[in-house]
Structure formats: C-alpha cells, structure tokens
Amino acid sequence: MNPQLHRVPFSCRGSWFSFFRKNPGLSGGHPSAPLSLRVIAGVLWERAEILDLDLERDGRSLVWCEELATERLVLREVDGPGLVTIAFQNPDTVRLRAEGVTLRLDSQEGDIAPTGPASWRLKGGSHGWLVLRAAEGVLDKGRFAQRHALWLRGEATPAELIVHRTTAGSSAPEPCGGLTECVDARRAEIEAWRARAIEHSVEFSDLAAREITNLWNLTVAPLGCFRRESTLVSKGTLVGLWSWDHCWHSLGTAGLDADLAWNNFLAPFDHQDTSGALPDVFCANQVYWGNVKPPVHGWMLGILARRHAWFGDEHRARIYEPIARLTRFWLRERDNDGDGLPNYLRATDSGWDNATVFDAGASLATPDLATWLILQQEWLAETAGRLGRPAEAAAWTEGARLLLERLLGRLWTGGRFVARHNATHEEVCSDSLLLRIPLLLGARLPEAARRWCLDGLFDTARYRASSGLRSEPAHSPKFDADGYWRGSVWPVTNFIFFEALRVNGLHAEADSLRRDFLVHLARVGNHENYHGLDGRGLRDAGIAWTSTCALALLRADGRD
C-alpha cells in the first residue's frame, strides 16, 4: 500500500464525515492504521471510526493503494483491475462505487440493523446514525473477525453504496446524478473557493492553493454545539474548536469568505457564560469548561480591521460587549490576590500547555497575559470611542495604562521579564519564548525591555530554527526539540513574533522569519508543530491554524 490518509483526511466543506487512518494513540494518524469512515460529530477523543474499509476478491483481502485528490478518493488494487471511487454527493452523503472488486466495511461498534431491501442502519457516534443503501448492485451483511460487516459486491458488475449521516436515522437519499457529477461538483466548489482568495506571490502559489483547500476541507456546517458554519482545528484528531485557535481561523479565512471569517470569530462567543468566560474548547456534542484560553481576541480584532475592508463598525458593535465581558472576567475572576495583575490558574489557560515557565507550578501572573489584556483594553477603548461611548473609552484607556504600569513595575526586573506566583509574588524565571510576548507592546516598553525581548531571537543556537522560533531555546537545559511548548516550533508563535517585530520597526527581520516559515511549510507540509532541530512535522497534520497562519503571512507582504 501507499497510504496518504494518515496525514490529511478526505472530507469536504460542511461535512462531519472524514476518511482517515487514525493513530491508535491520541495524536495524528498512522500509515499502518485501517482506513476508516469516521463521523467526527461527537465529543473530544471519542472513537470516531465507524466503518473500516478493505478491498477483497473471492473472499481474500487485496493489496491496494490510495489516490487522493480533494474532490475524490480512489482505492486502487495494486497489479489488478479493481478500484473503489469515493465522492461526496453533499456534506451529509457519501457515494462509494466498487468496480472489479468487493468493498468490505467492518463495523467498529454495534450491530448493523436492516431497514429494508439492501438498506441498513448503524450508530454513527454520539451524535447520530448512518443509513446505508445500495444504489446499484448487491450489498450483503455478515460477520468478519467477530464484527458485523457489509460487502458491496462489484466484482462481476459495478456496485454503488450511499452512506448518509443523520441525527435521527432518516432514510438515505436517492442518488443525485452520477458519481462523476459528484466529483465535478466538488471540484467546482474548490475552484470557486480558490478564486475568491486574495492574490499571492507566484513563488508561494502552490502553498497558498494547498492551504486554501485545507481550510475548505476543514469547514463544517452548523450542528449541535456548532451554531454557525465554522472551521475545525482538524478532521483527524483535534475535532473541535479551541477559544484562541478560532482567532487565527478568522484571520486566515478573512481573505476568502467574510461571512465564514466572522462566524469563525463569533463561534466560541455563542457559549460565553454569565461571568464572561469562554470555554476551553467545544465539539459538536460537548462544551468543555474548566480551562480557558488566553485573551488574544482584542489584538486579533485590531489585525482583522487593519487588513480587511469588510470589517466595519457593525462588526465592532456586535462584538464590543462580548469582548468587554471577557476582559472583565480576566480582570475580576483571574486576579486572585487582588494586586491588579491577572493570573493563569493552570498552564493550559495560557495555550502553552507545558511551557517551562509553569514548571514552578500554576496560578502565575505572567507577562504575556498582561500584554494580551493591555492590547484588548486598548481595542475596547478605540471601539468605544467609535461607537460614541466616550466614558467607556476613557475607562478602558485608563485600565490599559494601569496594567502596563503594573506589568513594568512587577514583572520587569530591570534586566528581564519574569512571572510571579499569585499568592507569594515569588519570582519565576524561565527561558520560555512566552515571556518575550511583551515585545508586541513596542514603544510602550522601556528600551532595555525591548532589547531583552529581542535578545537571542535571531541566534540559531538559541531561539532561531530554520522553520521559525523555538518555544524554548536550544541552549536551555530544559530544551526538548519534540517537547510541545518546550522546544518545538509553532506556526502561531511565528505569526505572533512576526507581528511583534513589525511593531518594533524590524521589517527585515520580520520578513526573514516569515519567509523561512513559508519555505519550510511548503517543503514539509502542514503539522501542529515542528521539531526544534531538524524541522520535521510533528503530531496532527492538516491543522487549520497552520494553514491560517500561512495565509495570514502570505497576505502580510507589505500590503496590510
């Protein structure tokens, strides 16, 4: 076999189906895993594999390979005539056609119940059912290796199966056109989606096309906790939306589809609680509370407004109060000792789940959190002024000024930025790149603080890797090149520091960081993060914020 579907799942815009070779562990895919039809409309880490696929002839499994295009998937017999073609009739309906071969589908969980002649139903995860019907040829039920199975028998004459996802178990729809028409319809969708993109440089045109297509693939229709069309983090492993990823999803789709970009930004706010907090993450069938994510939202709204003409005062008016409530949550509910410096209760609240700054324990006041809240209050002040609320504008301006004063008075030692324990105010030092995020404040910082934030960023023995900036410098005793936030290179941090360098007038350095990341991404492909030494892709592939960071950086070529 020549498997490809352990990297990027086969799906389409709007669909909660994906075909994928899921890693038996939690992260990413694996080339030796079975190819499964999955329903990802469940809860995080739920077993989404519903049916495993295999090709047979005369009852024996065949050797076959995958031929993957965005609009169709072909499973082709090696050294033989058999093939199975798979395409989406619509986001909820998949067509599978077997020619010269039998397609076996093994149920991973539960019985396959008959619903009529050549028609069957089985549970499709925690959020619905699958209905299967033979549109052409023979579909048999039996057992294989102690599991229920279906055989779509296309050895003598072609056979075609319709698989339909439904929340209530309704009947499978009739075929709409032939399989070729389905493939052509999806191809036309993709071409129209790409045609709407802002023009990118010729050098990175293939990269742009790949990332645009990935975002088309990762977008889902409203369902359950998703109350609007949104872009998932992944249709492989991370089948939810985290409350800071969505900001990059919004920015990355803003040059493709303004409505989708705005929906991406608003999606977590559909679940904002009465305290003003956003959930950590939500999936189709569950909202996860307990953790939160850093308040990057005001900063990102400023970038959206600066780069995209469609973002206007009606958008500011819609989001002003939710952002104000979110900000008050942090200022009120996450300032446990009342010293005016908000704190993270857990490392995961920062988004940098295992960064070395948190080795000393959580409940820390950190420079990055203060930075995000300064920028967010400044955005609120500007927006309140535009909306004719001068008293509120003045209050937010004063809040930002006071928090900057506390950041510099308590977390800047005169020689470096530090974190502090919430209760004891004990100083916590670390080499984590997280502590250098105040660079986003630019001229608001003393020159010595700016110099410290920049120190080592361009040193290949410290933070600078060929693919971008390491989350922990290579000379640190705690450095782990494959250590998540302890040395790996992350797309999102490259984007943050690209913006920070430009805020500080370091345009050549910013463009060098931008270009190195884009060249690396074009060569290595999409991944959640990258090895801090050799640059290889790590963990889940086909991640949305890698695509959205790429498109945002491709857009940031001096025109915004």
Side-chain angles (χ1 to χ4, degrees):
M1 291 192 295
N2 180 28
Q4 304 175 60
L5 288 163
H6 67 287
R7 291 178 53 82
V8 180
F10 176 59
S11 187
C12 78
R13 182 175 182 173
S15 183
W16 290 92
F17 279 126
S18 75
F19 291 82
F20 189 56
R21 294 183 181 274
K22 172 70 173 64
N23 191 328
L26 291 180
S27 183
H30 196 278
S32 64
L35 174 58
S36 301
L37 184 155
R38 309 169 74 237
V39 177
I40 54 177
V43 300
L44 201 59
W45 316 128
E46 175 178 294
R47 182 180 176 86
E49 292 73 39
I50 308 300
L51 294 166
D52 286 354
L53 281 62
D54 201 6
L55 272 59
E56 292 184 350
R57 181 175 297 112
D58 298 326
R60 297 190 304 273
S61 291
L62 303 175
V63 178
W64 49 274
C65 63
E66 302 157 6
E67 297 175 2
L68 177 62
T70 310
E71 67 274 13
R72 60 106 183 95
L73 170 63
V74 174
L75 313 180
R76 187 179 300 277
E77 180 185 3
V78 174
D79 298 327
L83 62 87
V84 172
T85 305
I86 305 172
F88 284 85
Q89 178 171 306
N90 58 54
D92 289 325
T93 308
V94 179
R95 305 266 290 270
L96 302 95
R97 184 173 181 83
E99 299 177 76
V101 70
T102 289
L103 172 64
R104 191 186 75 240
L105 303 105
D106 303 334
S107 173
Q108 296 305 291
E109 194 171 331
D111 193 8
I112 302 175
T115 60
S119 180
W120 311 89
R121 178 179 295 142
L122 72 158
K123 196 73 173 71
S126 63
H127 207 295
W129 295 82
L130 295 187
V131 181
L132 303 92
R133 181 166 63 83
E136 184 180 342
V138 176
L139 181 66
D140 291 332
K141 181 195 171 188
R143 294 184 71 87
F144 178 83
Q146 307 305 311
R147 297 189 296 187
H148 295 274
L150 294 169
W151 282 264
L152 181 67
R153 301 196 183 279
E155 293 180 32
T157 59
E160 189 167 320
L161 172 66
I162 296 177
V163 181
H164 179 66
R165 189 199 63 80
T166 172
T167 55
S170 58
S171 300
E174 293 294 326
C176 182
L179 196 67
T180 299
E181 285 78 7
C182 294
V183 172
D184 290 344
R186 300 292 80 72
R187 184 184 297 115
E189 281 184 25
I190 298 160
E191 290 173 354
W193 177 249
R194 288 175 177 169
R196 298 171 68 176
I198 296 169
E199 184 179 352
H200 300 294
S201 66
V202 173
E203 179 184 7
F204 292 113
S205 59
D206 289 345
L207 172 63
R210 187 184 77 194
E211 306 309 340
I212 289 165
T213 300
N214 191 44
L215 294 179
W216 176 87
N217 186 56
L218 291 175
T219 298
V220 291
L223 178 70
C225 299
F226 279 81
R227 299 175 185 170
R228 57 186 72 238
E229 186 181 41
S230 306
T231 305
L232 289 180
V233 169
S234 166
K235 286 188 176 179
T237 301
L238 303 171
V239 294
L241 185 56
W242 276 257
S243 290
W244 70 321
D245 296 65
H246 77 104
C247 290
W248 278 272
H249 296 189
S250 181
L251 182 63
T253 54
L256 296 165
D257 186 327
D259 290 338
L260 174 60
W262 191 228
N263 280 336
N264 275 329
F265 197 91
L266 293 176
F269 289 92
D270 291 333
H271 302 288
Q272 189 172 28
D273 76 2
T274 55
S275 76
L278 296 177
D280 179 30
V281 56
F282 62 100
C283 303
N285 215 21
Q286 189 170 2
V287 180
Y288 293 78
W289 296 94
N291 297 329
V292 292
K293 285 293 170 279
V296 300
H297 305 79
W299 172 69
M300 186 60 75
L301 285 165
I303 297 173
L304 271 172
R306 187 172 74 245
R307 292 188 176 196
H308 296 284
W310 59 260
F311 188 93
D313 282 349
E314 67 277 17
H315 299 91
R316 293 181 179 89
R318 166 66 180 83
I319 199 63
Y320 173 79
E321 286 296 343
I323 296 293
R325 291 197 297 273
L326 176 63
T327 307
R328 293 186 189 107
F329 161 80
W330 281 99
L331 298 174
R332 181 185 66 246
E333 304 295 339
R334 289 296 187 269
D335 181 11
N336 294 12
D337 59 3
D339 70 348
L341 273 176
N343 54 274
Y344 293 126
L345 292 182
R346 304 181 67 182
T348 46
D349 291 346
S350 73
W352 296 48
D353 298 3
N354 66 339
T356 59
V357 70
F358 298 106
D359 287 357
S363 197
L364 298 181
T366 62
D368 69 296
L369 179 55
T371 298
W372 297 129
L373 288 169
I374 290 165
L375 294 169
Q376 191 146 292
Q377 289 184 90
E378 289 178 347
W379 182 86
L380 285 164
E382 178 194 358
T383 300
R386 294 178 69 110
L387 298 178
R389 303 181 181 187
E392 293 177 36
W396 290 120
T397 298
E398 178 64 6
R401 186 192 69 78
L402 286 173
L403 189 51
L404 177 61
E405 183 179 284
R406 290 164 184 151
L407 166 67
L408 296 177
R410 302 178 194 176
L411 302 183
W412 169 249
T413 68
R416 59 168 297 138
F417 278 110
V418 298
R420 291 194 184 275
H421 282 290
N422 180 50
T424 66
H425 296 177
E426 180 185 356
E427 185 178 294
V428 177
C429 292
S430 164
D431 289 324
S432 175
L433 189 63
L434 183 71
L435 293 178
R436 298 174 189 262
I437 282 179
L439 189 62
L440 283 167
L441 296 172
R444 304 173 191 79
L445 296 182
E447 183 59 27
R450 293 174 68 246
R451 286 199 304 270
W452 181 83
C453 288
L454 290 165
D455 182 40
L457 290 189
F458 313 116
D459 185 346
T460 57
R462 295 178 67 189
Y463 293 100
R464 193 68 156 89
S466 60
S467 54
L469 294 177
R470 302 179 180 105
S471 46
E472 182 82 7
H475 78 302
S476 166
K478 295 183 176 182
F479 173 74
D480 181 350
D482 184 7
Y484 222 55
W485 296 97
R486 305 175 73 88
S488 301
V489 174
W490 289 77
V492 66
T493 53
N494 279 338
F495 181 81
I496 289 169
F497 279 88
F498 167 81
E499 287 290 320
L501 290 168
R502 297 219 305 180
V503 164
N504 286 274
L506 300 171
H507 296 282
E509 291 84 351
D511 195 59
S512 173
L513 179 64
R514 164 188 173 271
R515 178 174 175 77
D516 284 356
F517 173 68
L518 293 174
V519 168
H520 183 81
L521 184 59
R523 179 174 61 85
V524 175
N526 269 58
H527 288 272
E528 184 179 0
N529 49 65
Y530 298 87
H531 193 275
L533 293 178
D534 63 30
R536 68 180 182 272
L538 301 173
R539 298 172 185 84
D540 213 342
I543 292 285
W545 82 1
T546 307
S547 292
T548 58
C549 284
L551 293 175
L553 289 169
L554 285 166
R555 176 77 175 96
D557 56 1
R559 291 179 293 169
D560 62 315

